[in-house]
Amino acid sequence: MEPTHLFELVIAMFLAIIALHYAAHRLGLPPSVALLTGGALLAFVPGLPAISVDPELVLVIFLPPLLMDGAWAIALARLRRHMIGIASLAVGAVLFTCAVVAVVAHLIFPSLPWAACAALGAIVAPPDAVSARAVLERVRLPRRLQILLEGESLLNDASGLVLFRFAVAAAATGAFSAGEAVGSFLVLALGGAVVGVVVGTAWVKLVRRLGDEYLIIAATVLLGWISYLLGELLHVSGVIATVTTGLIASWHQHTVFSAATRMRGTSFWTVMIFLMEASVFTLIGLSLRDVVERGGGLTTVIATMGLPMLAILVTLVVARFAWVFASDLVIRFCAALGVTRVQPLGAGGATVLSWAGVRGVITLALALSLPEGFPGRDFILATSFAVILGTVLVQGTTLGRVIAWARLVETETERARLTMSQAEVAMVQAQLGTVQSLAYDAEGKLIHPQLLDRYQRRATVIVDYAERTEHYKPVLHAHFDVVLKAVATGRRELIRLHRAGDIDDETLDELERDLDLEELSAISAKA
Protein backbone atom coordinates (compact mmCIF):
# COMPACT_ATOMS: atom_id res chain seq x y z
CA MET A 1 0.00 0.00 0.00
CA GLU A 2 1.33 3.43 -0.96
CA PRO A 3 2.09 5.86 1.91
CA THR A 4 -0.54 8.36 0.72
CA HIS A 5 -3.19 5.63 0.58
CA LEU A 6 -2.22 4.51 4.08
CA PHE A 7 -2.60 8.08 5.35
CA GLU A 8 -6.00 8.37 3.64
CA LEU A 9 -7.04 5.13 5.32
CA VAL A 10 -5.99 6.47 8.74
CA ILE A 11 -8.01 9.67 8.21
CA ALA A 12 -10.99 7.58 7.07
CA MET A 13 -10.64 5.48 10.24
CA PHE A 14 -10.68 8.61 12.42
CA LEU A 15 -13.83 9.83 10.64
CA ALA A 16 -15.40 6.40 11.19
CA ILE A 17 -14.45 6.61 14.87
CA ILE A 18 -16.30 9.92 15.24
CA ALA A 19 -19.38 8.52 13.48
CA LEU A 20 -19.36 5.29 15.51
CA HIS A 21 -18.85 7.14 18.79
CA TYR A 22 -21.77 9.43 17.96
CA ALA A 23 -23.94 6.42 17.05
CA ALA A 24 -23.02 4.71 20.34
CA HIS A 25 -23.99 7.85 22.25
CA ARG A 26 -27.35 8.09 20.48
CA LEU A 27 -28.11 4.38 20.96
CA GLY A 28 -26.92 4.25 24.56
CA LEU A 29 -24.23 1.65 23.81
CA PRO A 30 -20.69 1.48 25.22
CA PRO A 31 -18.41 3.12 22.60
CA SER A 32 -16.10 0.07 22.64
CA VAL A 33 -18.98 -2.10 21.39
CA ALA A 34 -19.83 0.27 18.53
CA LEU A 35 -16.18 0.66 17.53
CA LEU A 36 -15.44 -3.07 17.61
CA THR A 37 -18.60 -3.96 15.70
CA GLY A 38 -18.15 -1.11 13.23
CA GLY A 39 -14.55 -2.08 12.58
CA ALA A 40 -15.56 -5.71 12.01
CA LEU A 41 -18.25 -4.67 9.50
CA LEU A 42 -15.88 -2.28 7.72
CA ALA A 43 -13.35 -5.10 7.37
CA PHE A 44 -15.62 -6.83 4.86
CA VAL A 45 -16.56 -3.76 2.79
CA PRO A 46 -15.81 -4.59 -0.86
CA GLY A 47 -12.77 -2.76 -2.20
CA LEU A 48 -11.36 -1.93 1.23
CA PRO A 49 -7.80 -3.25 1.50
CA ALA A 50 -7.19 -5.95 4.10
CA ILE A 51 -5.77 -4.60 7.34
CA SER A 52 -2.86 -6.64 8.63
CA VAL A 53 -1.99 -5.63 12.19
CA ASP A 54 1.67 -5.83 13.18
CA PRO A 55 1.41 -6.97 16.83
CA GLU A 56 4.77 -5.55 17.94
CA LEU A 57 3.96 -2.20 16.36
CA VAL A 58 0.49 -2.14 17.96
CA LEU A 59 1.98 -2.78 21.39
CA VAL A 60 4.68 -0.14 20.99
CA ILE A 61 2.35 2.55 19.61
CA PHE A 62 -0.73 2.08 21.77
CA LEU A 63 0.18 0.31 25.01
CA PRO A 64 2.67 2.79 26.62
CA PRO A 65 0.50 5.95 26.45
CA LEU A 66 -2.63 4.07 27.49
CA LEU A 67 -0.84 2.47 30.45
CA MET A 68 0.62 5.87 31.28
CA ASP A 69 -2.83 7.42 31.24
CA GLY A 70 -4.20 4.72 33.52
CA ALA A 71 -1.33 5.14 35.98
CA TRP A 72 -1.69 8.93 35.85
CA ALA A 73 -5.37 8.78 36.78
CA ILE A 74 -5.24 6.04 39.44
CA ALA A 75 -5.57 6.89 43.14
CA LEU A 76 -2.12 6.05 44.52
CA ALA A 77 -3.18 5.86 48.18
CA ARG A 78 -5.94 3.35 47.40
CA LEU A 79 -3.56 1.45 45.09
CA ARG A 80 -1.18 0.91 48.01
CA ARG A 81 -4.03 0.03 50.36
CA HIS A 82 -5.40 -2.67 48.05
CA MET A 83 -2.13 -3.98 46.62
CA ILE A 84 -2.70 -7.50 48.01
CA GLY A 85 -6.05 -7.76 46.25
CA ILE A 86 -4.63 -6.28 43.05
CA ALA A 87 -1.69 -8.70 43.11
CA SER A 88 -4.13 -11.59 43.63
CA LEU A 89 -5.94 -10.60 40.43
CA ALA A 90 -2.94 -9.46 38.37
CA VAL A 91 -0.80 -12.52 39.15
CA GLY A 92 -2.88 -15.19 40.87
CA ALA A 93 -5.99 -14.93 38.68
CA VAL A 94 -3.88 -14.82 35.50
CA LEU A 95 -1.91 -17.94 36.49
CA PHE A 96 -5.06 -19.81 37.54
CA THR A 97 -7.00 -18.84 34.40
CA CYS A 98 -4.05 -19.77 32.19
CA ALA A 99 -3.83 -23.21 33.80
CA VAL A 100 -7.60 -23.90 33.60
CA VAL A 101 -7.83 -22.78 29.96
CA ALA A 102 -4.79 -24.93 29.09
CA VAL A 103 -6.40 -28.01 30.66
CA VAL A 104 -9.72 -27.46 28.87
CA ALA A 105 -7.97 -26.81 25.53
CA HIS A 106 -5.99 -30.04 25.92
CA LEU A 107 -9.18 -31.97 26.72
CA ILE A 108 -10.82 -30.60 23.58
CA PHE A 109 -7.78 -31.20 21.37
CA PRO A 110 -5.65 -33.97 22.95
CA SER A 111 -3.22 -33.76 20.03
CA LEU A 112 -2.43 -30.11 20.81
CA PRO A 113 0.84 -29.89 22.78
CA TRP A 114 0.63 -28.69 26.36
CA ALA A 115 2.89 -25.74 25.52
CA ALA A 116 0.44 -24.56 22.83
CA CYS A 117 -2.47 -24.95 25.27
CA ALA A 118 -0.53 -22.90 27.84
CA ALA A 119 0.16 -20.26 25.19
CA LEU A 120 -3.58 -19.98 24.52
CA GLY A 121 -4.20 -19.66 28.25
CA ALA A 122 -1.57 -16.93 28.59
CA ILE A 123 -3.03 -15.03 25.62
CA VAL A 124 -6.62 -14.90 26.88
CA ALA A 125 -5.98 -14.81 30.66
CA PRO A 126 -5.15 -11.12 31.33
CA PRO A 127 -8.04 -8.62 31.13
CA ASP A 128 -7.05 -5.61 29.07
CA ALA A 129 -6.31 -2.11 30.40
CA VAL A 130 -7.85 -0.38 27.38
CA SER A 131 -11.00 -2.49 27.43
CA ALA A 132 -11.37 -2.12 31.20
CA ARG A 133 -11.13 1.69 30.94
CA ALA A 134 -13.65 1.77 28.09
CA VAL A 135 -16.15 -0.21 30.17
CA LEU A 136 -15.52 1.44 33.54
CA GLU A 137 -15.86 5.01 32.27
CA ARG A 138 -19.58 4.41 31.68
CA VAL A 139 -20.41 2.82 35.03
CA ARG A 140 -20.18 3.88 38.65
CA LEU A 141 -18.51 1.52 41.10
CA PRO A 142 -17.56 1.67 44.77
CA ARG A 143 -13.98 2.87 45.18
CA ARG A 144 -12.64 -0.52 46.24
CA LEU A 145 -13.92 -2.34 43.15
CA GLN A 146 -12.80 0.52 40.94
CA ILE A 147 -9.23 0.42 42.23
CA LEU A 148 -9.08 -3.40 42.07
CA LEU A 149 -10.09 -3.40 38.40
CA GLU A 150 -7.88 -0.45 37.46
CA GLY A 151 -4.86 -1.83 39.32
CA GLU A 152 -5.35 -5.30 37.88
CA SER A 153 -5.57 -4.03 34.30
CA LEU A 154 -2.38 -2.01 34.76
CA LEU A 155 -0.25 -4.84 36.15
CA ASN A 156 -1.57 -8.11 34.76
CA ASP A 157 -0.13 -7.57 31.28
CA ALA A 158 3.32 -8.31 32.72
CA SER A 159 2.10 -11.69 34.05
CA GLY A 160 0.48 -12.60 30.74
CA LEU A 161 3.52 -11.58 28.70
CA VAL A 162 5.92 -13.65 30.83
CA LEU A 163 3.65 -16.72 30.68
CA PHE A 164 3.25 -16.31 26.92
CA ARG A 165 6.98 -16.06 26.26
CA PHE A 166 7.74 -19.16 28.32
CA ALA A 167 4.93 -21.12 26.64
CA VAL A 168 6.22 -20.22 23.16
CA ALA A 169 9.79 -21.10 24.19
CA ALA A 170 8.59 -24.41 25.65
CA ALA A 171 6.78 -25.22 22.38
CA ALA A 172 9.99 -24.56 20.44
CA THR A 173 12.41 -26.41 22.77
CA GLY A 174 10.16 -28.93 24.48
CA ALA A 175 11.48 -27.88 27.92
CA PHE A 176 9.86 -25.84 30.69
CA SER A 177 11.04 -24.91 34.17
CA ALA A 178 8.58 -23.47 36.69
CA GLY A 179 11.42 -22.19 38.88
CA GLU A 180 13.01 -20.42 35.94
CA ALA A 181 9.67 -18.86 35.01
CA VAL A 182 9.14 -17.49 38.54
CA GLY A 183 12.69 -16.15 38.68
CA SER A 184 12.33 -14.55 35.26
CA PHE A 185 9.07 -12.88 36.31
CA LEU A 186 10.69 -11.41 39.42
CA VAL A 187 13.66 -10.10 37.44
CA LEU A 188 11.42 -8.60 34.77
CA ALA A 189 9.10 -6.99 37.33
CA LEU A 190 11.82 -5.62 39.62
CA GLY A 191 13.94 -4.49 36.68
CA GLY A 192 10.96 -2.75 35.14
CA ALA A 193 10.20 -0.99 38.43
CA VAL A 194 13.82 0.25 38.64
CA VAL A 195 13.70 1.57 35.08
CA GLY A 196 10.39 3.28 35.85
CA VAL A 197 11.80 4.97 38.96
CA VAL A 198 14.86 6.21 37.04
CA VAL A 199 12.83 7.57 34.11
CA GLY A 200 10.17 9.11 36.37
CA THR A 201 12.77 10.81 38.58
CA ALA A 202 14.61 12.13 35.53
CA TRP A 203 11.33 13.52 34.17
CA VAL A 204 10.63 15.40 37.41
CA LYS A 205 14.10 17.00 37.35
CA LEU A 206 13.79 17.83 33.64
CA VAL A 207 10.35 19.45 33.95
CA ARG A 208 11.58 21.69 36.77
CA ARG A 209 14.33 22.98 34.47
CA LEU A 210 12.47 23.31 31.15
CA GLY A 211 10.29 26.30 32.07
CA ASP A 212 8.42 26.34 28.73
CA GLU A 213 4.95 24.79 29.03
CA TYR A 214 4.92 23.39 25.49
CA LEU A 215 8.25 21.65 26.03
CA ILE A 216 6.93 20.25 29.31
CA ILE A 217 3.80 18.90 27.59
CA ALA A 218 5.88 17.38 24.79
CA ALA A 219 8.26 15.72 27.27
CA THR A 220 5.31 14.32 29.23
CA VAL A 221 3.63 12.93 26.11
CA LEU A 222 6.84 11.07 25.19
CA LEU A 223 7.37 9.79 28.73
CA GLY A 224 5.39 6.55 28.42
CA TRP A 225 7.14 5.50 25.19
CA ILE A 226 10.58 6.31 26.59
CA SER A 227 9.99 4.23 29.70
CA TYR A 228 8.49 1.29 27.78
CA LEU A 229 11.17 1.19 25.08
CA LEU A 230 14.00 1.54 27.60
CA GLY A 231 12.55 -1.31 29.67
CA GLU A 232 12.28 -3.57 26.61
CA LEU A 233 15.78 -2.57 25.48
CA LEU A 234 17.16 -3.67 28.86
CA HIS A 235 15.12 -6.91 28.68
CA VAL A 236 12.92 -6.11 31.66
CA SER A 237 9.18 -5.45 31.80
CA GLY A 238 8.31 -2.39 29.73
CA VAL A 239 4.78 -2.59 31.16
CA ILE A 240 5.95 -2.33 34.78
CA ALA A 241 8.44 0.39 33.79
CA THR A 242 5.70 2.47 32.17
CA VAL A 243 3.26 2.04 35.05
CA THR A 244 5.94 2.95 37.62
CA THR A 245 6.92 6.03 35.64
CA GLY A 246 3.28 7.05 35.35
CA LEU A 247 2.72 6.73 39.09
CA ILE A 248 5.77 8.89 39.85
CA ALA A 249 4.79 11.52 37.27
CA SER A 250 1.22 11.58 38.57
CA TRP A 251 2.41 12.11 42.14
CA HIS A 252 4.70 15.04 41.23
CA GLN A 253 2.62 16.75 38.50
CA HIS A 254 0.72 18.74 41.14
CA THR A 255 3.95 20.49 42.18
CA VAL A 256 5.90 20.73 38.90
CA PHE A 257 3.09 21.82 36.53
CA SER A 258 1.81 25.37 36.31
CA ALA A 259 -1.95 25.94 35.98
CA ALA A 260 -1.59 26.78 32.27
CA THR A 261 0.53 23.68 31.61
CA ARG A 262 -1.97 21.48 33.38
CA MET A 263 -4.99 22.88 31.50
CA ARG A 264 -3.38 22.80 28.05
CA GLY A 265 -1.65 19.49 28.64
CA THR A 266 -4.81 17.83 29.91
CA SER A 267 -6.80 19.01 26.89
CA PHE A 268 -4.23 17.70 24.42
CA TRP A 269 -3.69 14.44 26.30
CA THR A 270 -7.44 13.74 26.60
CA VAL A 271 -7.99 14.05 22.84
CA MET A 272 -4.93 11.94 22.06
CA ILE A 273 -5.97 9.14 24.42
CA PHE A 274 -9.53 9.24 23.06
CA LEU A 275 -8.26 8.71 19.50
CA MET A 276 -5.83 5.98 20.56
CA GLU A 277 -8.40 4.03 22.59
CA ALA A 278 -10.93 4.29 19.79
CA SER A 279 -8.32 3.29 17.19
CA VAL A 280 -7.43 0.16 19.17
CA PHE A 281 -11.02 -1.14 19.11
CA THR A 282 -11.47 -0.21 15.48
CA LEU A 283 -8.23 -1.98 14.51
CA ILE A 284 -9.32 -5.07 16.43
CA GLY A 285 -12.53 -5.08 14.42
CA LEU A 286 -10.71 -4.48 11.14
CA SER A 287 -8.36 -7.40 11.84
CA LEU A 288 -11.33 -9.81 11.84
CA ARG A 289 -11.00 -10.25 8.09
CA ASP A 290 -7.39 -11.38 8.41
CA VAL A 291 -8.27 -13.80 11.23
CA VAL A 292 -11.20 -15.29 9.28
CA GLU A 293 -9.12 -15.69 6.12
CA ARG A 294 -6.40 -17.50 8.09
CA GLY A 295 -9.05 -19.91 9.38
CA GLY A 296 -10.39 -20.71 5.89
CA GLY A 297 -13.43 -18.41 5.82
CA LEU A 298 -16.18 -17.48 8.26
CA THR A 299 -18.30 -20.57 7.55
CA THR A 300 -15.35 -22.90 8.05
CA VAL A 301 -14.26 -21.15 11.25
CA ILE A 302 -17.75 -21.39 12.79
CA ALA A 303 -18.30 -24.99 11.65
CA THR A 304 -14.96 -26.38 12.79
CA MET A 305 -14.09 -24.15 15.73
CA GLY A 306 -17.38 -22.65 16.95
CA LEU A 307 -18.05 -25.02 19.85
CA PRO A 308 -14.40 -25.20 21.03
CA MET A 309 -14.16 -21.40 20.96
CA LEU A 310 -17.39 -21.12 22.97
CA ALA A 311 -16.04 -23.67 25.45
CA ILE A 312 -12.86 -21.65 25.97
CA LEU A 313 -14.87 -18.43 26.42
CA VAL A 314 -17.12 -20.06 29.03
CA THR A 315 -14.07 -21.58 30.76
CA LEU A 316 -12.48 -18.14 30.91
CA VAL A 317 -15.50 -16.59 32.59
CA VAL A 318 -16.01 -19.50 35.00
CA ALA A 319 -12.33 -19.52 35.99
CA ARG A 320 -12.46 -15.84 36.91
CA PHE A 321 -15.63 -16.36 38.94
CA ALA A 322 -14.01 -19.31 40.71
CA TRP A 323 -10.87 -17.33 41.60
CA VAL A 324 -12.71 -14.22 42.81
CA PHE A 325 -15.26 -16.11 44.91
CA ALA A 326 -12.59 -18.44 46.33
CA SER A 327 -10.50 -15.41 47.29
CA ASP A 328 -13.52 -13.86 48.99
CA LEU A 329 -14.08 -17.09 50.93
CA VAL A 330 -10.46 -17.00 52.10
CA ILE A 331 -10.98 -13.40 53.28
CA ARG A 332 -14.12 -14.46 55.16
CA PHE A 333 -12.22 -17.35 56.77
CA CYS A 334 -9.43 -14.98 57.84
CA ALA A 335 -12.02 -12.58 59.27
CA ALA A 336 -13.49 -15.45 61.30
CA LEU A 337 -10.00 -16.04 62.73
CA GLY A 338 -9.75 -12.38 63.72
CA VAL A 339 -7.71 -11.11 60.72
CA THR A 340 -9.83 -8.17 59.59
CA ARG A 341 -7.36 -6.09 57.57
CA VAL A 342 -9.25 -6.87 54.34
CA GLN A 343 -13.04 -6.95 54.26
CA PRO A 344 -14.94 -9.47 52.07
CA LEU A 345 -16.47 -8.15 48.88
CA GLY A 346 -19.75 -9.96 49.35
CA ALA A 347 -21.69 -11.85 46.67
CA GLY A 348 -22.63 -8.69 44.76
CA GLY A 349 -19.14 -7.20 44.72
CA ALA A 350 -17.53 -10.52 43.79
CA THR A 351 -20.02 -10.98 40.93
CA VAL A 352 -19.31 -7.52 39.51
CA LEU A 353 -15.54 -8.03 39.83
CA SER A 354 -15.82 -11.40 38.08
CA TRP A 355 -18.00 -10.11 35.25
CA ALA A 356 -15.72 -7.15 34.51
CA GLY A 357 -12.86 -9.19 33.00
CA VAL A 358 -12.93 -7.77 29.44
CA ARG A 359 -10.19 -8.71 26.95
CA GLY A 360 -8.75 -6.53 24.18
CA VAL A 361 -5.59 -5.39 22.46
CA ILE A 362 -3.08 -7.46 24.50
CA THR A 363 -4.94 -10.66 23.68
CA LEU A 364 -5.03 -9.84 19.95
CA ALA A 365 -1.41 -8.67 19.79
CA LEU A 366 -0.08 -11.77 21.55
CA ALA A 367 -2.14 -14.09 19.33
CA LEU A 368 -0.95 -12.39 16.14
CA SER A 369 2.67 -12.58 17.32
CA LEU A 370 2.64 -16.39 17.38
CA PRO A 371 5.30 -17.63 14.92
CA GLU A 372 4.20 -19.29 11.69
CA GLY A 373 3.96 -23.04 12.11
CA PHE A 374 3.15 -22.80 15.82
CA PRO A 375 0.95 -25.77 16.82
CA GLY A 376 -2.74 -24.85 16.66
CA ARG A 377 -2.00 -21.28 15.52
CA ASP A 378 -5.23 -20.87 13.52
CA PHE A 379 -7.37 -22.15 16.40
CA ILE A 380 -5.57 -19.88 18.89
CA LEU A 381 -6.05 -16.86 16.60
CA ALA A 382 -9.75 -17.53 16.06
CA THR A 383 -10.33 -18.27 19.76
CA SER A 384 -8.53 -15.10 20.83
CA PHE A 385 -10.74 -12.99 18.60
CA ALA A 386 -13.87 -14.82 19.80
CA VAL A 387 -12.85 -14.10 23.41
CA ILE A 388 -12.43 -10.39 22.64
CA LEU A 389 -15.79 -10.23 20.85
CA GLY A 390 -17.56 -12.21 23.54
CA THR A 391 -16.24 -10.27 26.52
CA VAL A 392 -16.65 -6.83 24.96
CA LEU A 393 -20.05 -7.41 23.35
CA VAL A 394 -21.59 -9.46 26.18
CA GLN A 395 -19.87 -8.42 29.40
CA GLY A 396 -19.20 -4.85 28.27
CA THR A 397 -22.87 -4.20 27.42
CA THR A 398 -24.34 -5.90 30.51
CA LEU A 399 -21.94 -4.76 33.24
CA GLY A 400 -24.10 -1.74 34.07
CA ARG A 401 -27.13 -4.00 34.67
CA VAL A 402 -25.04 -6.38 36.79
CA ILE A 403 -23.91 -3.43 38.92
CA ALA A 404 -27.52 -2.25 39.30
CA TRP A 405 -28.56 -5.77 40.33
CA ALA A 406 -25.76 -6.01 42.89
CA ARG A 407 -26.86 -2.78 44.65
CA LEU A 408 -23.34 -2.03 45.77
CA VAL A 409 -22.71 0.52 48.51
CA GLU A 410 -19.58 2.41 49.47
CA THR A 411 -18.06 1.06 52.69
CA GLU A 412 -17.11 3.52 55.42
CA THR A 413 -13.43 2.55 55.22
CA GLU A 414 -13.30 3.62 51.57
CA ARG A 415 -14.81 7.05 52.17
CA ALA A 416 -12.38 9.92 52.46
CA ARG A 417 -12.02 11.51 55.91
CA LEU A 418 -13.08 14.91 54.56
CA THR A 419 -15.86 15.76 52.14
CA MET A 420 -15.32 18.13 49.22
CA SER A 421 -16.83 21.01 51.19
CA GLN A 422 -14.68 20.30 54.25
CA ALA A 423 -11.54 20.18 52.12
CA GLU A 424 -12.52 23.50 50.54
CA VAL A 425 -12.93 25.01 54.03
CA ALA A 426 -9.42 23.89 55.00
CA MET A 427 -7.97 25.28 51.75
CA VAL A 428 -9.71 28.65 52.03
CA GLN A 429 -8.77 29.09 55.69
CA ALA A 430 -5.14 28.43 54.80
CA GLN A 431 -5.39 31.07 52.05
CA LEU A 432 -7.00 33.51 54.49
CA GLY A 433 -4.12 32.98 56.92
CA THR A 434 -1.61 33.93 54.22
CA VAL A 435 -3.59 37.02 53.16
CA GLN A 436 -3.97 38.14 56.79
CA SER A 437 -0.21 37.90 57.32
CA LEU A 438 0.54 39.92 54.18
CA ALA A 439 -2.33 42.45 54.36
CA TYR A 440 -0.39 44.69 56.80
CA ASP A 441 2.95 46.41 56.31
CA ALA A 442 5.85 46.36 58.79
CA GLU A 443 4.25 49.15 60.89
CA GLY A 444 0.96 47.24 61.17
CA LYS A 445 -0.92 49.44 58.71
CA LEU A 446 -3.57 47.68 56.59
CA ILE A 447 -2.44 48.00 52.97
CA HIS A 448 -4.74 45.44 51.29
CA PRO A 449 -8.18 46.02 52.84
CA GLN A 450 -10.23 44.89 49.84
CA LEU A 451 -8.20 41.71 49.40
CA LEU A 452 -8.47 40.88 53.10
CA ASP A 453 -12.22 41.57 53.09
CA ARG A 454 -12.67 39.40 50.01
CA TYR A 455 -10.94 36.37 51.56
CA GLN A 456 -12.70 36.85 54.90
CA ARG A 457 -16.11 36.91 53.23
CA ARG A 458 -15.20 33.91 51.08
CA ALA A 459 -14.09 31.90 54.11
CA THR A 460 -17.30 32.77 55.98
CA VAL A 461 -19.50 31.76 53.07
CA ILE A 462 -17.68 28.46 52.47
CA VAL A 463 -17.76 27.48 56.15
CA ASP A 464 -21.49 28.17 56.23
CA TYR A 465 -22.00 26.17 53.02
CA ALA A 466 -20.06 23.19 54.41
CA GLU A 467 -22.28 23.14 57.48
CA ARG A 468 -25.55 23.41 55.50
CA THR A 469 -24.70 21.86 52.11
CA GLU A 470 -28.10 20.33 51.36
CA HIS A 471 -29.86 23.62 52.19
CA TYR A 472 -27.67 25.64 49.80
CA LYS A 473 -27.44 23.20 46.87
CA PRO A 474 -30.61 24.33 45.01
CA VAL A 475 -29.70 28.00 45.49
CA LEU A 476 -26.13 27.33 44.40
CA HIS A 477 -27.22 25.55 41.23
CA ALA A 478 -29.57 28.41 40.35
CA HIS A 479 -26.76 30.89 41.05
CA PHE A 480 -24.33 29.20 38.69
CA ASP A 481 -27.02 28.74 36.04
CA VAL A 482 -27.23 32.54 35.97
CA VAL A 483 -23.43 32.76 35.84
CA LEU A 484 -23.33 30.40 32.84
CA LYS A 485 -26.00 32.43 31.02
CA ALA A 486 -24.06 35.61 31.75
CA VAL A 487 -20.88 34.00 30.39
CA ALA A 488 -22.73 32.99 27.21
CA THR A 489 -24.05 36.54 26.80
CA GLY A 490 -20.60 38.00 27.37
CA ARG A 491 -19.12 35.64 24.78
CA ARG A 492 -21.73 36.63 22.19
CA GLU A 493 -21.01 40.32 22.79
CA LEU A 494 -17.26 39.72 22.58
CA ILE A 495 -17.65 37.94 19.24
CA ARG A 496 -19.94 40.72 17.97
CA LEU A 497 -17.30 43.32 18.83
CA HIS A 498 -14.62 41.28 17.06
CA ARG A 499 -16.76 40.72 13.96
CA ALA A 500 -17.52 44.45 13.82
CA GLY A 501 -13.80 45.24 13.93
CA ASP A 502 -13.99 47.03 17.30
CA ILE A 503 -11.44 44.73 18.99
CA ASP A 504 -8.43 42.85 17.65
CA ASP A 505 -7.63 39.13 17.84
CA GLU A 506 -5.36 39.51 20.89
CA THR A 507 -8.13 41.17 22.91
CA LEU A 508 -10.61 38.51 21.79
CA ASP A 509 -8.27 35.67 22.85
CA GLU A 510 -7.46 37.21 26.23
CA LEU A 511 -11.06 37.98 27.23
CA GLU A 512 -12.36 34.71 25.81
CA ARG A 513 -9.86 32.80 27.96
CA ASP A 514 -11.20 34.63 31.04
CA LEU A 515 -14.74 33.64 30.08
CA ASP A 516 -13.64 30.02 29.52
CA LEU A 517 -12.11 29.86 33.00
CA GLU A 518 -15.24 31.39 34.52
CA GLU A 519 -17.42 28.89 32.68
CA LEU A 520 -15.29 25.91 33.75
CA SER A 521 -15.34 27.15 37.34
CA ALA A 522 -19.14 27.47 37.31
CA ILE A 523 -19.61 24.02 35.77
CA SER A 524 -17.25 22.51 38.36
CA ALA A 525 -19.10 24.25 41.21
CA LYS A 526 -22.42 22.83 40.00
CA ALA A 527 -21.13 19.26 39.80
Side-chain angles (χ1 to χ4, degrees):
M1 185 184 299
E2 295 183 7
T4 53
H5 291 164
L6 178 61
F7 179 72
E8 290 168 357
L9 191 61
V10 170
I11 296 301
M13 183 182 72
F14 285 153
L15 291 174
I17 284 170
I18 295 172
L20 291 169
H21 236 277
Y22 177 76
H25 175 71
R26 297 288 294 178
L27 297 173
L29 293 172
S32 56
V33 172
L35 293 165
L36 186 60
T37 307
L41 293 175
L42 288 173
F44 293 96
V45 172
L48 189 72
I51 305 297
S52 181
V53 179
D54 185 326
E56 292 297 328
L57 188 60
V58 167
L59 286 179
V60 170
I61 291 177
F62 292 101
L63 190 58
L66 295 174
L67 286 173
M68 184 80 181
D69 185 59
W72 193 280
I74 204 166
L76 190 56
R78 288 203 294 273
L79 181 70
R80 289 197 300 263
R81 189 184 314 147
H82 296 290
M83 185 51 71
I84 294 176
I86 291 169
S88 170
L89 292 168
V91 180
V94 170
L95 289 170
F96 177 73
T97 304
C98 176
V100 173
V101 169
V103 170
V104 172
H106 195 70
L107 290 174
I108 296 172
F109 295 110
S111 60
L112 196 64
W114 275 106
C117 296
L120 172 60
I123 289 169
V124 300
D128 183 60
V130 182
S131 300
R133 283 169 50 84
V135 171
L136 292 177
E137 68 184 8
R138 292 181 57 85
V139 298
R140 187 172 184 83
L141 285 172
R143 290 184 178 92
R144 183 182 176 190
L145 286 180
Q146 187 86 19
I147 198 68
L148 286 174
L149 288 169
E150 289 178 352
E152 175 197 15
S153 66
L154 282 176
L155 300 176
N156 64 9
D157 292 339
S159 306
L161 286 167
V162 170
L163 285 173
F164 174 75
R165 287 170 181 169
F166 270 90
V168 172
T173 63
F176 175 77
S177 170
E180 185 182 351
V182 172
S184 176
F185 177 77
L186 292 175
V187 170
L188 288 170
L190 292 175
V194 170
V195 170
V197 169
V198 171
V199 174
T201 304
W203 173 83
V204 173
K205 293 183 180 298
L206 176 65
V207 167
R208 283 176 173 157
R209 291 178 177 271
L210 283 177
D212 184 280
E213 61 190 62
Y214 294 108
L215 294 178
I216 292 172
I217 293 170
T220 305
V221 168
L222 296 175
L223 188 59
W225 282 299
I226 292 171
S227 188
Y228 183 87
L229 292 172
L230 183 59
E232 293 298 309
L233 181 66
L234 297 176
H235 303 291
V236 296
S237 174
V239 171
I240 299 295
T242 306
V243 171
T244 306
T245 299
L247 293 174
I248 292 173
S250 173
W251 180 261
H252 288 281
Q253 58 99 3
H254 303 288
T255 57
V256 299
F257 280 177
S258 66
T261 301
R262 188 175 297 105
M263 287 187 64
R264 288 173 177 163
T266 300
S267 299
F268 173 79
W269 183 260
T270 301
V271 174
M272 187 185 82
I273 293 298
F274 162 74
L275 289 175
M276 297 194 87
E277 282 185 348
S279 298
V280 165
F281 285 106
T282 307
L283 285 173
I284 291 174
L286 288 170
S287 66
L288 174 62
R289 179 172 166 182
D290 185 50
V291 172
V292 169
E293 288 176 352
R294 287 173 182 270
L298 185 60
T299 305
T300 303
V301 169
I302 294 175
T304 60
M305 304 181 192
L307 287 177
M309 289 190 300
L310 180 61
I312 295 297
L313 177 58
V314 172
T315 299
L316 200 66
V317 175
V318 171
R320 184 173 176 87
F321 268 87
W323 180 267
V324 172
F325 274 86
S327 300
D328 210 43
L329 283 176
V330 170
I331 294 173
R332 288 182 181 276
F333 179 73
C334 292
L337 296 177
V339 181
T340 58
R341 180 182 175 185
V342 180
Q343 297 298 315
L345 290 170
T351 300
V352 171
L353 188 62
S354 303
W355 194 245
V358 184
R359 273 63 177 181
V361 63
I362 290 293
T363 293
L364 182 67
L366 291 181
L368 290 173
S369 67
L370 284 170
E372 294 290 342
F374 190 85
R377 187 176 190 272
D378 290 341
F379 171 68
I380 293 175
L381 270 174
T383 302
S384 300
F385 200 93
V387 164
I388 296 170
L389 278 176
T391 55
V392 172
L393 297 182
V394 177
Q395 292 174 270
T397 54
T398 58
L399 182 59
R401 278 176 286 214
V402 173
I403 293 171
W405 165 83
R407 296 183 179 178
L408 303 174
V409 294
E410 192 76 76
T411 59
E412 288 296 330
T413 55
E414 292 300 320
R415 291 197 178 108
R417 190 171 60 85
L418 297 179
T419 65
M420 178 81 73
S421 298
Q422 291 169 334
E424 194 172 16
V425 167
M427 180 186 71
V428 171
Q429 288 179 337
Q431 290 178 314
L432 177 59
T434 297
V435 173
Q436 286 174 332
S437 66
L438 298 176
Y440 299 87
D441 61 14
E443 286 75 32
K445 180 182 177 182
L446 182 61
I447 55 176
H448 298 297
Q450 292 181 335
L451 193 61
L452 180 60
D453 180 62
R454 172 187 161 194
Y455 274 85
Q456 285 175 333
R457 283 188 289 107
R458 186 181 176 201
T460 301
V461 168
I462 289 176
V463 168
D464 187 42
Y465 174 79
E467 293 173 350
R468 299 194 295 163
T469 302
E470 293 305 318
H471 171 74
Y472 280 115
K473 264 189 177 179
V475 179
L476 189 71
H477 279 216
H479 168 85
F480 284 108
D481 283 338
V482 175
V483 171
L484 290 172
K485 289 178 182 177
V487 168
T489 302
R491 184 175 284 110
R492 285 195 297 270
E493 176 63 14
L494 194 61
I495 293 172
R496 187 192 67 79
L497 293 172
H498 179 260
R499 298 295 186 262
D502 295 331
I503 59 173
D504 56 20
D505 289 346
E506 288 76 12
T507 302
L508 171 67
D509 292 341
E510 190 70 28
L511 294 179
E512 188 176 44
R513 183 163 57 249
D514 293 342
L515 288 174
D516 289 343
L517 290 171
E518 188 177 1
E519 180 178 343
L520 290 173
S521 177
I523 292 172
S524 176
K526 279 188 64 178

